[in-house]
Amino acid sequence: TVWGSLTIKLEEYLKMSNIRKVDSLLVMNAIKKMFLESSYVIGKDVYNSISAAALDEDSLIAKEVLDQLLKNYDIAMEERIPICQDTGYAVVFVDIGQEVAVENGSLTNAIEEGVRQAYEEGFLRKSIVDDPIFERKNTNDNTPPVIHYNIVEGNKIDIMITAKGFGSENMSAIKMLSPSDGLEGVEKFVLETVKNAGPNPCPPIIIGIGVGGTMEKAAIMAKKATMREINKYNENINYENLEKELLVKINELGIGPAGFGGKTTALAVNVDYYPTHIAGLPVAINISCHASRHAHVIL
């Protein structure tokens, strides 16, 4: 038949096309390495930002807290022990090129196995329970992770991970504002959320804000925004100005490091946005503590 003559095996198709094959073992090892390293080694942007804040701090108590955080980072890195006892919920963002084929296992299974091995071999605390309401039985290997997939052009797999502690995650919030609330409503919601959080998210914090889309889109943007490098701003000048203005206002709240007062409540405010419905203005706020553990790799 005509259709029969067009039938080719997958292996033959891969050879004929530009499809790049990536072994699932490569993905698994990358995931494992990222979660281990980010548990022990804080990012240079966070370390440098807290160092600068300590030098600028007037409050002796706040300065002492910041100095202790720096010592904690140094010890964690040197002795290969976790920065924080809450080693977090594994969250993975995957941009996978449409010209990539993962072989020798599924991509999801490779990610889950990488998380499992990292938390078991690194003696990282296992914090995930399988039933949120009734049984709350620990899965004993910190799986399953939360995975966000996005199909993109190209033949690469771009992976970002974060180990999200729940002291800060619990202080996050989302609100479906009215378009008439506008900029003033957004700022009010952000400031109220941070003020109500107080010392609970272990400040100094990094604040990710997602504006627009739908409820879930805003929340995902907010989570991903917490991983943006400190002092890198939104490319849109209006949102860059909003980030800078909110950072000033949040630090004026005076919550300070560990809630003891001082100049530095937040290290960064990162805002991302997406088109939304004419009737809506979704705003999500995701807060990350100073132990902002994240990593990035392109395979």
Side-chain angles (χ1 to χ4, degrees):
T1 63
V2 174
W3 291 112
S5 66
L6 294 176
T7 301
I8 59 175
K9 293 181 179 180
L10 177 59
E11 287 294 325
E12 294 174 351
Y13 171 73
L14 293 175
K15 291 178 182 178
M16 293 166 54
S17 69
N18 293 321
I19 297 295
R20 173 173 169 257
K21 293 186 284 187
V22 175
D23 196 298
S24 63
L25 185 62
L26 180 66
V27 177
M28 186 204 75
N29 286 330
I31 292 290
K32 175 182 174 180
K33 181 178 180 180
M34 285 193 290
F35 276 105
L36 283 171
E37 287 299 311
S38 61
S39 294
Y40 306 143
V41 183
I42 198 69
K44 289 183 179 179
D45 59 330
V46 175
Y47 192 99
N48 292 339
S49 183
I50 289 185
S51 295
L55 292 174
D56 186 54
E57 188 57 67
D58 295 329
S59 166
L60 293 179
I61 296 178
K63 180 176 174 57
E64 177 63 21
V65 171
L66 294 172
D67 287 339
Q68 287 293 329
L69 292 180
L70 294 172
K71 290 178 182 178
N72 182 72
Y73 296 149
D74 291 338
I75 293 170
M77 180 176 62
E78 291 168 6
E79 299 189 14
R80 303 287 292 176
I81 56 177
I83 295 168
C84 176
Q85 79 278 5
D86 182 352
T87 50
Y89 201 132
V91 181
V92 185
F93 288 85
V94 183
D95 286 349
I96 180 167
Q98 59 191 10
E99 296 174 10
V100 175
V102 176
E103 59 180 4
N104 298 323
S106 77
L107 180 56
T108 297
N109 288 345
I111 292 171
E112 290 186 351
E113 184 60 26
V115 171
R116 180 179 294 108
Q117 289 191 18
Y119 278 79
E120 289 183 347
E121 294 181 21
F123 299 100
L124 308 179
R125 195 183 80 183
K126 290 82 173 175
S127 305
I128 307 306
V129 293
D130 60 3
D131 182 338
I133 297 178
F134 299 103
E135 294 185 5
R136 293 188 69 85
K137 182 179 179 182
N138 200 297
T139 63
N140 293 320
D141 59 10
N142 222 61
T143 67
V146 170
I147 308 173
H148 301 286
Y149 287 113
N150 184 36
I151 307 298
V152 297
E153 295 182 355
N155 64 356
K156 305 289 186 182
I157 303 178
D158 190 314
I159 305 174
M160 294 180 68
I161 66 97
T162 182
K164 194 65 171 64
F166 259 59
S168 58
E169 185 76 2
N170 284 337
M171 297 298 104
S172 301
I174 189 166
K175 191 171 185 179
M176 305 302 286
L177 296 178
S178 166
S180 62
D181 291 321
L183 176 61
E184 182 179 347
V186 172
E187 291 188 343
K188 180 181 179 182
F189 176 46
V190 172
L191 291 172
E192 286 179 348
T193 299
V194 175
K195 184 177 181 180
N196 291 337
N200 294 323
C202 300
I205 56 179
I206 296 169
I207 303 164
I209 301 172
V211 181
T214 53
M215 181 184 72
E216 79 280 6
K217 178 65 175 178
I220 292 170
M221 285 192 294
K223 174 64 61 61
K224 196 170 184 179
T226 63
M227 292 184 273
R228 191 199 303 168
E229 186 176 335
I230 293 174
N231 294 326
K232 283 195 174 180
Y233 302 100
N234 195 296
E235 293 179 356
N236 183 308
I237 188 63
N238 292 324
Y239 286 88
E240 176 183 343
N241 290 336
L242 176 59
E243 291 171 342
K244 292 177 178 179
E245 181 181 346
L246 282 171
L247 181 61
V248 170
K249 290 182 177 180
I250 287 168
N251 284 331
E252 287 176 347
L253 293 174
I255 297 169
F260 287 117
K263 292 183 177 181
T264 311
T265 297
L267 301 175
V269 176
N270 301 328
V271 183
D272 282 332
Y273 68 97
Y274 196 81
T276 194
H277 193 279
I278 56 172
L281 180 55
V283 181
I285 303 166
N286 195 250
I287 298 176
S288 175
C289 65
H290 67 86
S292 179
R293 296 157 297 193
H294 54 267
H296 178 219
V297 70
I298 299 177
L299 302 177

